[in-house]
Amino acid sequence: MENIIILGTGCAGFTAAIYAARANLEPLVLEGDMPGGQLTTTSEVENFPGFPEGIDGYALMDNLRKQAARFGARFVNDYIERVELDGDTKQLHSASKCYESKAVIISTGASPRLLGIPGEKEMFGGKGVTTCATCDGAFYRDMEVVVVGGGDSACEEALFLTRFCSKVTLIHRRDELRASKIMAERTLACDKIKPVWNAVVEEVLADEEGLARAVSVRNRQTDEASEIPCKGVFIAIGHVPNTKPFEGILNLDENGYLVPFNGSMVKTIVPGVYVAGDCADHVYRQAITAAGMGCQAAIECERWLAEEG
Ligand code: NAP
């Protein structure tokens, strides 16, 4: 049986792994279906303390992983579908295996939200619809693309895409950006980015080969419909927490975020089970706050194991 199993390898999971490993608890880290988490799909991270010139998201996560491994954290690529958390031994089931542990830190993060419109699923991946400019931007060199959303992610994606694309149309459902001031100003000052306000995307339209050729949008004020030609559709409308295996077992809010227990930021109703990062934080959702929660969860877990484990 393991001392601690950590679910997820974003900033929260890696930081928990560093702390647990340095406490000689030899944590087992299950990497999930997106090793390295959301930051691996980000280009430049400018606000993580300690990097005055910024750092590439992938490089940051790779550093955290190496730091955890250096102290004895072990990594396995597996995805937990179902958990049994009552009793002294916590059981975590993947499709092929049951892992047993005294304690668990849940840092499963959040996944990109989709629009749920016709054409989105059909063209997702290689056919024009994506949620990751860093991953897919270069495929759209000299082409026209749209970005959907008005937050920091949408601005970041749009700015990144200007490196490759001939034109970037930013479609937002309201008439002002939700993004932080600095990102909003940078985005709106960029000549290659054309904002389309008060517009909802209703469908992704395909050409005869099944590749994206345009989006149909409707203006929310005039109800007027139009088409915006584009080869790429980058959806950046926020995230949904990855908490399905814990439904009915731990406290979740109405949007599926894990709710910590009894005034703590990281404890749950089940002793020995802790939460950290975006799966339990819909307020701050930053790399540095996720790392902080990972640290807290590991310290709480270490103390609990010393007393109860
Ligand atoms: P977000 O801040 O929640 O913004 C989501 C955007 O998508 C909002 O503008 C929202 O519109 C729009 N939206 C949501 N559902 C929609 C739908 N069904 N149809 C059309 N539009 C929809 O999410 P985020 O941009 O991913 O950012 C998440 C967190 O990460 C934030 O705290 C952000 O500051 C942080 N972040 C920081 C950086 C950075 O600092 N470099 C980069 C990326 C993210 P409304 O505005 O109308 O609600």
Side-chain angles (χ1 to χ4, degrees):
M1 180 168 37
E2 303 289 341
N3 290 313
I4 304 185
I5 290 183
I6 297 169
L7 300 180
T9 48
C11 273
F14 278 141
T15 307
I18 292 167
Y19 274 78
R22 287 193 79 249
N24 283 340
L25 291 168
E26 298 177 327
L28 179 69
V29 187
L30 301 186
E31 302 202 68
D33 57 0
M34 191 179 179
Q38 290 172 51
L39 277 195
T40 53
T41 66
T42 302
S43 45
E44 199 71 0
V45 181
E46 290 184 334
N47 52 10
F48 200 89
F51 299 95
E53 306 302 328
I55 181 168
D56 173 76
Y58 186 87
L60 176 62
M61 302 317 291
D62 196 43
N63 284 345
L64 291 178
R65 189 184 201 283
K66 284 179 185 148
Q67 199 173 348
R70 177 179 154 217
F71 296 111
R74 294 158 298 135
F75 296 89
V76 168
N77 204 289
D78 209 349
Y79 180 81
I80 296 305
E81 296 176 341
R82 186 169 66 81
V83 299
E84 292 171 73
L85 300 177
D86 43 1
D88 290 339
T89 303
K90 278 82 181 167
Q91 299 191 324
L92 311 175
H93 302 268
S94 72
S96 58
K97 192 168 170 182
C98 173
Y99 298 86
E100 293 191 338
S101 184
K102 294 176 191 168
V104 179
I105 295 176
I106 302 166
S107 43
T108 45
S111 297
R113 177 180 288 132
L114 294 174
L115 289 163
I117 54 169
E120 180 181 49
K121 240 188 208 152
E122 294 82 344
M123 277 167 269
F124 198 86
K127 294 185 175 173
V129 180
T130 169
T131 55
C132 180
T134 321
C135 320
D136 299 328
F139 298 127
Y140 298 90
R141 193 173 293 278
D142 300 326
M143 297 180 197
E144 296 189 5
V145 298
V146 302
V147 175
V148 186
D152 278 322
S153 297
C155 290
E156 194 174 66
E157 302 273 277
L159 285 163
F160 183 77
L161 288 165
T162 60
R163 298 187 198 178
F164 311 98
C165 305
S166 55
K167 181 177 172 191
V168 179
T169 303
L170 180 66
I171 304 173
H172 184 33
R173 64 185 178 182
R174 290 188 298 125
D175 62 359
E176 61 176 349
L177 296 173
R178 169 184 296 278
S180 55
K181 205 163 182 285
I182 187 168
M183 289 294 276
E185 281 176 2
R186 243 184 244 173
T187 306
L188 297 178
C190 180
D191 287 343
K192 262 194 180 178
I193 299 175
K194 178 182 179 273
V196 172
W197 303 112
N198 299 308
V200 289
V201 179
E202 293 188 321
E203 186 172 358
V204 183
L205 304 166
D207 63 15
E208 57 284 356
E209 290 169 39
L211 306 175
R213 66 164 179 84
V215 287
S216 66
V217 298
R218 186 169 297 277
N219 185 295
R220 293 176 71 201
Q221 289 177 334
T222 62
D223 204 36
E224 198 181 315
S226 58
E227 280 187 18
I228 300 176
C230 58
K231 296 285 184 197
V233 182
F234 290 79
I235 298 166
I237 59 167
H239 294 83
V240 281
N242 299 320
T243 55
K244 205 150 192 54
F246 314 106
E247 281 174 8
I249 296 173
L250 297 173
N251 289 340
L252 304 184
D253 72 10
E254 68 277 10
N255 296 315
Y257 286 90
L258 286 155
V259 180
F261 175 63
N262 211 8
S264 158
M265 282 184 70
V266 296
K267 289 182 186 171
T268 70
I269 48 168
V270 179
V273 178
Y274 302 88
V275 293
D278 284 14
C279 62
D281 170 23
H282 59 90
V283 180
Y284 302 107
R285 297 180 296 183
Q286 301 299 302
I288 190 65
T289 51
M293 286 176 83
C295 162
Q296 280 177 273
I299 290 175
E300 290 290 351
C301 194
E302 182 191 342
R303 289 179 183 160
W304 181 81
L305 282 168
E307 284 166 20
E308 310 279 340

